[in-house]
Amino acid sequence: MADHCRVGADDTLHIRWRRPAAEGERIVLRHAPTGEVRAGPLADDRCSAALAVGGLAPGAWDVLLGADRPLLTDDPGFSFDGLREYAGRARERAVRVVRAPDGRATLDVRDVAPHAEVEEVHPLDGEIKIIGWLAHTGPRPGAAARLVAVARDGGGRETGVARLDGTAFDACLDVHAFTRHEPGLWDLWLEAGDVRARLATFLDDAPGKHGTLSYPRQIVPSGARRMGVRPYYTLKDGLAVACHLLPEDDAP
């Protein structure tokens, strides 16, 4: 049973055991869709192994000892600090250890694109403030940033302020800007230099926020009408804004 089994930010799979493994043992990675195999030896102490995994094809890879024995681990395979360090580097493919309920370790390899990982959303005092960090693109030194809301219908576009510090960002939208348009749904993007990153929350290990995580609405005058403006998560965990006209009898 391995007590450590994780992929580092340098795309190396690190495995560690409490006691030495058998002489001549090796680590084998087997691509489930194609049967392709990659293999590597243990370190001289037979208590650890390090295997480069950055060039693996997308899909699930079984982690084995020898030809056919599943590697068992009691390590969950990640920490949130480790995820942030890993996703904080520019990359087009991500590799993560997944531990099955019975302890078997597999590698999940998938293509990734830059996105703006949202950590906090604060709808208050006529603004929507958002805090997060850029994932899979690395720092953007010297790049001017802005928050952009794009209407799904009608071609509307509104811009808010944003500030970058390394990969960390904070951004703000004025909800009154939405009253210049017809009611609708708006997707949010962070633009920084040559990067256009969708605002989303993918890396908190809690998918399925739509319908379970709710933010308060803000009521904004729109001529003789009133509009309710509320951030929400889409079915794919992207952050968006919903703007709806309120009936006259809807109290603030």
Side-chain angles (χ1 to χ4, degrees), residues 212-240:
T212 62
L213 181 59
S214 178
Y215 294 105
R217 74 180 179 187
Q218 298 185 73
I219 298 176
V220 186
S222 178
R225 310 174 299 177
R226 293 181 305 144
M227 185 179 287
V229 179
R230 186 200 307 265
Y232 75 99
Y233 277 99
T234 68
L235 291 172
K236 295 183 178 181
D237 288 329
L239 188 66

mmCIF file of all heavy atoms in Angstrom, residues 212-240:
data_model
loop_
_atom_site.group_PDB
_atom_site.id
_atom_site.type_symbol
_atom_site.label_atom_id
_atom_site.label_comp_id
_atom_site.label_asym_id
_atom_site.label_seq_id
_atom_site.Cartn_x
_atom_site.Cartn_y
_atom_site.Cartn_z
ATOM 1 N N THR A 212 -27.720 24.299 -6.807
ATOM 2 C CA THR A 212 -27.396 24.000 -5.399
ATOM 3 C C THR A 212 -26.704 25.174 -4.712
ATOM 4 O O THR A 212 -26.787 25.309 -3.493
ATOM 5 C CB THR A 212 -26.485 22.760 -5.293
ATOM 6 O OG1 THR A 212 -25.245 23.012 -5.972
ATOM 7 C CG2 THR A 212 -27.162 21.548 -5.919
ATOM 8 N N LEU A 213 -26.018 26.024 -5.490
ATOM 9 C CA LEU A 213 -25.347 27.197 -4.935
ATOM 10 C C LEU A 213 -26.045 28.436 -5.477
ATOM 11 O O LEU A 213 -26.130 28.634 -6.690
ATOM 12 C CB LEU A 213 -23.871 27.204 -5.333
ATOM 13 C CG LEU A 213 -23.014 28.368 -4.818
ATOM 14 C CD1 LEU A 213 -23.030 28.424 -3.299
ATOM 15 C CD2 LEU A 213 -21.589 28.243 -5.335
ATOM 16 N N SER A 214 -26.565 29.254 -4.578
ATOM 17 C CA SER A 214 -27.372 30.397 -4.985
ATOM 18 C C SER A 214 -26.798 31.690 -4.426
ATOM 19 O O SER A 214 -26.307 31.729 -3.287
ATOM 20 C CB SER A 214 -28.814 30.224 -4.490
ATOM 21 O OG SER A 214 -29.606 31.336 -4.828
ATOM 22 N N TYR A 215 -26.863 32.760 -5.240
ATOM 23 C CA TYR A 215 -26.424 34.091 -4.818
ATOM 24 C C TYR A 215 -27.623 35.032 -4.775
ATOM 25 O O TYR A 215 -28.588 34.871 -5.540
ATOM 26 C CB TYR A 215 -25.373 34.635 -5.791
ATOM 27 C CG TYR A 215 -24.084 33.867 -5.789
ATOM 28 C CD1 TYR A 215 -23.770 32.994 -6.831
ATOM 29 C CD2 TYR A 215 -23.180 33.986 -4.742
ATOM 30 C CE1 TYR A 215 -22.580 32.273 -6.829
ATOM 31 C CE2 TYR A 215 -21.990 33.268 -4.733
ATOM 32 C CZ TYR A 215 -21.703 32.421 -5.774
ATOM 33 O OH TYR A 215 -20.522 31.713 -5.770
ATOM 34 N N PRO A 216 -27.567 36.039 -3.917
ATOM 35 C CA PRO A 216 -28.690 36.990 -3.851
ATOM 36 C C PRO A 216 -28.765 37.843 -5.108
ATOM 37 O O PRO A 216 -27.753 38.148 -5.735
ATOM 38 C CB PRO A 216 -28.367 37.837 -2.615
ATOM 39 C CG PRO A 216 -26.892 37.719 -2.446
ATOM 40 C CD PRO A 216 -26.525 36.349 -2.917
ATOM 41 N N ARG A 217 -29.987 38.233 -5.457
ATOM 42 C CA ARG A 217 -30.166 39.135 -6.581
ATOM 43 C C ARG A 217 -30.058 40.581 -6.104
ATOM 44 O O ARG A 217 -30.288 40.895 -4.936
ATOM 45 C CB ARG A 217 -31.517 38.909 -7.248
ATOM 46 C CG ARG A 217 -32.690 39.452 -6.442
ATOM 47 C CD ARG A 217 -34.008 39.207 -7.138
ATOM 48 N NE ARG A 217 -35.114 39.723 -6.328
ATOM 49 C CZ ARG A 217 -36.390 39.536 -6.615
ATOM 50 N NH1 ARG A 217 -36.723 38.837 -7.687
ATOM 51 N NH2 ARG A 217 -37.335 40.042 -5.836
ATOM 52 N N GLN A 218 -29.712 41.441 -7.041
ATOM 53 C CA GLN A 218 -29.738 42.885 -6.810
ATOM 54 C C GLN A 218 -30.791 43.487 -7.738
ATOM 55 O O GLN A 218 -30.856 43.138 -8.916
ATOM 56 C CB GLN A 218 -28.364 43.496 -7.069
ATOM 57 C CG GLN A 218 -27.285 42.943 -6.132
ATOM 58 C CD GLN A 218 -25.957 43.648 -6.314
ATOM 59 O OE1 GLN A 218 -25.788 44.790 -5.902
ATOM 60 N NE2 GLN A 218 -25.009 42.959 -6.927
ATOM 61 N N ILE A 219 -31.593 44.371 -7.209
ATOM 62 C CA ILE A 219 -32.675 44.984 -7.970
ATOM 63 C C ILE A 219 -32.212 46.352 -8.460
ATOM 64 O O ILE A 219 -31.784 47.194 -7.659
ATOM 65 C CB ILE A 219 -33.954 45.085 -7.118
ATOM 66 C CG1 ILE A 219 -34.419 43.668 -6.730
ATOM 67 C CG2 ILE A 219 -35.046 45.826 -7.884
ATOM 68 C CD1 ILE A 219 -35.613 43.647 -5.825
ATOM 69 N N VAL A 220 -32.288 46.543 -9.772
ATOM 70 C CA VAL A 220 -31.734 47.732 -10.400
ATOM 71 C C VAL A 220 -32.831 48.429 -11.205
ATOM 72 O O VAL A 220 -33.508 47.778 -12.015
ATOM 73 C CB VAL A 220 -30.560 47.352 -11.335
ATOM 74 C CG1 VAL A 220 -29.881 48.594 -11.867
ATOM 75 C CG2 VAL A 220 -29.558 46.470 -10.612
ATOM 76 N N PRO A 221 -33.042 49.746 -11.029
ATOM 77 C CA PRO A 221 -34.002 50.471 -11.869
ATOM 78 C C PRO A 221 -33.585 50.433 -13.331
ATOM 79 O O PRO A 221 -32.403 50.548 -13.663
ATOM 80 C CB PRO A 221 -33.953 51.903 -11.319
ATOM 81 C CG PRO A 221 -33.360 51.788 -9.964
ATOM 82 C CD PRO A 221 -32.421 50.625 -10.017
ATOM 83 N N SER A 222 -34.562 50.254 -14.214
ATOM 84 C CA SER A 222 -34.314 50.225 -15.655
ATOM 85 C C SER A 222 -35.415 51.044 -16.327
ATOM 86 O O SER A 222 -36.404 50.505 -16.807
ATOM 87 C CB SER A 222 -34.302 48.786 -16.170
ATOM 88 O OG SER A 222 -34.116 48.735 -17.570
ATOM 89 N N GLY A 223 -35.245 52.368 -16.322
ATOM 90 C CA GLY A 223 -36.302 53.246 -16.802
ATOM 91 C C GLY A 223 -37.497 53.147 -15.870
ATOM 92 O O GLY A 223 -37.372 53.298 -14.646
ATOM 93 N N ALA A 224 -38.655 52.857 -16.443
ATOM 94 C CA ALA A 224 -39.859 52.687 -15.622
ATOM 95 C C ALA A 224 -39.965 51.271 -15.069
ATOM 96 O O ALA A 224 -40.906 50.953 -14.336
ATOM 97 C CB ALA A 224 -41.091 53.035 -16.448
ATOM 98 N N ARG A 225 -38.989 50.426 -15.409
ATOM 99 C CA ARG A 225 -39.041 49.029 -14.982
ATOM 100 C C ARG A 225 -37.966 48.760 -13.935
ATOM 101 O O ARG A 225 -37.141 49.620 -13.628
ATOM 102 C CB ARG A 225 -38.822 48.108 -16.191
ATOM 103 C CG ARG A 225 -39.691 48.440 -17.384
ATOM 104 C CD ARG A 225 -39.318 47.589 -18.592
ATOM 105 N NE ARG A 225 -37.939 47.790 -19.037
ATOM 106 C CZ ARG A 225 -37.364 47.120 -20.023
ATOM 107 N NH1 ARG A 225 -38.051 46.191 -20.668
ATOM 108 N NH2 ARG A 225 -36.113 47.347 -20.368
ATOM 109 N N ARG A 226 -38.012 47.559 -13.388
ATOM 110 C CA ARG A 226 -36.948 47.122 -12.492
ATOM 111 C C ARG A 226 -36.419 45.784 -12.977
ATOM 112 O O ARG A 226 -37.161 44.938 -13.471
ATOM 113 C CB ARG A 226 -37.471 46.985 -11.057
ATOM 114 C CG ARG A 226 -37.859 48.307 -10.415
ATOM 115 C CD ARG A 226 -38.336 48.094 -8.994
ATOM 116 N NE ARG A 226 -39.435 47.131 -8.962
ATOM 117 C CZ ARG A 226 -39.624 46.247 -7.989
ATOM 118 N NH1 ARG A 226 -38.785 46.204 -6.968
ATOM 119 N NH2 ARG A 226 -40.647 45.416 -8.017
ATOM 120 N N MET A 227 -35.111 45.598 -12.826
ATOM 121 C CA MET A 227 -34.467 44.369 -13.292
ATOM 122 C C MET A 227 -33.774 43.690 -12.122
ATOM 123 O O MET A 227 -33.112 44.343 -11.316
ATOM 124 C CB MET A 227 -33.463 44.687 -14.402
ATOM 125 C CG MET A 227 -32.821 43.460 -15.041
ATOM 126 S SD MET A 227 -31.663 43.913 -16.382
ATOM 127 C CE MET A 227 -32.816 44.429 -17.663
ATOM 128 N N GLY A 228 -33.939 42.382 -12.021
ATOM 129 C CA GLY A 228 -33.204 41.587 -11.055
ATOM 130 C C GLY A 228 -31.945 41.027 -11.693
ATOM 131 O O GLY A 228 -31.987 40.435 -12.777
ATOM 132 N N VAL A 229 -30.798 41.252 -11.043
ATOM 133 C CA VAL A 229 -29.506 40.815 -11.571
ATOM 134 C C VAL A 229 -28.881 39.868 -10.552
ATOM 135 O O VAL A 229 -28.686 40.230 -9.393
ATOM 136 C CB VAL A 229 -28.577 42.016 -11.828
ATOM 137 C CG1 VAL A 229 -27.234 41.546 -12.364
ATOM 138 C CG2 VAL A 229 -29.230 43.001 -12.796
ATOM 139 N N ARG A 230 -28.566 38.656 -11.019
ATOM 140 C CA ARG A 230 -28.061 37.644 -10.080
ATOM 141 C C ARG A 230 -26.989 36.785 -10.743
ATOM 142 O O ARG A 230 -27.211 36.249 -11.839
ATOM 143 C CB ARG A 230 -29.210 36.746 -9.638
ATOM 144 C CG ARG A 230 -28.836 35.741 -8.549
ATOM 145 C CD ARG A 230 -29.820 34.573 -8.487
ATOM 146 N NE ARG A 230 -31.195 34.968 -8.359
ATOM 147 C CZ ARG A 230 -31.857 35.064 -7.196
ATOM 148 N NH1 ARG A 230 -31.219 34.808 -6.074
ATOM 149 N NH2 ARG A 230 -33.129 35.398 -7.174
ATOM 150 N N PRO A 231 -25.806 36.631 -10.118
ATOM 151 C CA PRO A 231 -24.835 35.654 -10.635
ATOM 152 C C PRO A 231 -25.299 34.232 -10.328
ATOM 153 O O PRO A 231 -25.991 33.994 -9.329
ATOM 154 C CB PRO A 231 -23.548 35.993 -9.885
ATOM 155 C CG PRO A 231 -23.982 36.720 -8.661
ATOM 156 C CD PRO A 231 -25.292 37.374 -8.960
ATOM 157 N N TYR A 232 -24.925 33.297 -11.201
ATOM 158 C CA TYR A 232 -25.298 31.898 -10.986
ATOM 159 C C TYR A 232 -24.306 31.004 -11.718
ATOM 160 O O TYR A 232 -23.551 31.460 -12.588
ATOM 161 C CB TYR A 232 -26.730 31.626 -11.476
ATOM 162 C CG TYR A 232 -26.853 31.544 -12.985
ATOM 163 C CD1 TYR A 232 -26.883 30.316 -13.640
ATOM 164 C CD2 TYR A 232 -26.915 32.702 -13.764
ATOM 165 C CE1 TYR A 232 -26.986 30.236 -15.020
ATOM 166 C CE2 TYR A 232 -27.008 32.632 -15.137
ATOM 167 C CZ TYR A 232 -27.045 31.399 -15.762
ATOM 168 O OH TYR A 232 -27.135 31.320 -17.130
ATOM 169 N N TYR A 233 -24.310 29.714 -11.367
ATOM 170 C CA TYR A 233 -23.464 28.734 -12.041
ATOM 171 C C TYR A 233 -24.273 27.978 -13.085
ATOM 172 O O TYR A 233 -25.405 27.553 -12.835
ATOM 173 C CB TYR A 233 -22.849 27.755 -11.043
ATOM 174 C CG TYR A 233 -21.606 28.293 -10.377
ATOM 175 C CD1 TYR A 233 -21.652 28.849 -9.105
ATOM 176 C CD2 TYR A 233 -20.391 28.267 -11.040
ATOM 177 C CE1 TYR A 233 -20.510 29.353 -8.497
ATOM 178 C CE2 TYR A 233 -19.239 28.773 -10.452
ATOM 179 C CZ TYR A 233 -19.306 29.312 -9.183
ATOM 180 O OH TYR A 233 -18.172 29.819 -8.601
ATOM 181 N N THR A 234 -23.678 27.793 -14.252
ATOM 182 C CA THR A 234 -24.303 27.042 -15.330
ATOM 183 C C THR A 234 -24.221 25.540 -15.048
ATOM 184 O O THR A 234 -23.588 25.096 -14.087
ATOM 185 C CB THR A 234 -23.622 27.344 -16.663
ATOM 186 O OG1 THR A 234 -22.291 26.793 -16.639
ATOM 187 C CG2 THR A 234 -23.534 28.855 -16.905
ATOM 188 N N LEU A 235 -24.817 24.762 -15.939
ATOM 189 C CA LEU A 235 -24.768 23.303 -15.795
ATOM 190 C C LEU A 235 -23.343 22.768 -15.875
ATOM 191 O O LEU A 235 -23.051 21.691 -15.359
ATOM 192 C CB LEU A 235 -25.631 22.640 -16.868
ATOM 193 C CG LEU A 235 -27.149 22.830 -16.725
ATOM 194 C CD1 LEU A 235 -27.869 22.297 -17.957
ATOM 195 C CD2 LEU A 235 -27.669 22.128 -15.471
ATOM 196 N N LYS A 236 -22.437 23.522 -16.514
ATOM 197 C CA LYS A 236 -21.040 23.100 -16.647
ATOM 198 C C LYS A 236 -20.128 23.847 -15.682
ATOM 199 O O LYS A 236 -18.916 23.901 -15.866
ATOM 200 C CB LYS A 236 -20.569 23.289 -18.087
ATOM 201 C CG LYS A 236 -21.301 22.392 -19.076
ATOM 202 C CD LYS A 236 -20.750 22.552 -20.476
ATOM 203 C CE LYS A 236 -21.452 21.613 -21.455
ATOM 204 N NZ LYS A 236 -20.908 21.748 -22.839
ATOM 205 N N ASP A 237 -20.704 24.442 -14.628
ATOM 206 C CA ASP A 237 -19.956 25.131 -13.562
ATOM 207 C C ASP A 237 -19.253 26.399 -14.032
ATOM 208 O O ASP A 237 -18.295 26.854 -13.401
ATOM 209 C CB ASP A 237 -18.951 24.187 -12.879
ATOM 210 C CG ASP A 237 -19.651 23.158 -12.002
ATOM 211 O OD1 ASP A 237 -20.726 23.481 -11.464
ATOM 212 O OD2 ASP A 237 -19.131 22.040 -11.851
ATOM 213 N N GLY A 238 -19.723 26.991 -15.136
ATOM 214 C CA GLY A 238 -19.273 28.320 -15.511
ATOM 215 C C GLY A 238 -20.051 29.366 -14.719
ATOM 216 O O GLY A 238 -21.203 29.153 -14.333
ATOM 217 N N LEU A 239 -19.417 30.502 -14.469
ATOM 218 C CA LEU A 239 -20.092 31.590 -13.766
ATOM 219 C C LEU A 239 -20.747 32.509 -14.799
ATOM 220 O O LEU A 239 -20.101 32.924 -15.768
ATOM 221 C CB LEU A 239 -19.115 32.379 -12.904
ATOM 222 C CG LEU A 239 -19.760 33.426 -11.980
ATOM 223 C CD1 LEU A 239 -20.622 32.765 -10.907
ATOM 224 C CD2 LEU A 239 -18.690 34.301 -11.327
ATOM 225 N N ALA A 240 -22.011 32.831 -14.562
ATOM 226 C CA ALA A 240 -22.775 33.659 -15.484
ATOM 227 C C ALA A 240 -23.641 34.620 -14.675
ATOM 228 O O ALA A 240 -23.686 34.559 -13.438
ATOM 229 C CB ALA A 240 -23.631 32.786 -16.405
#
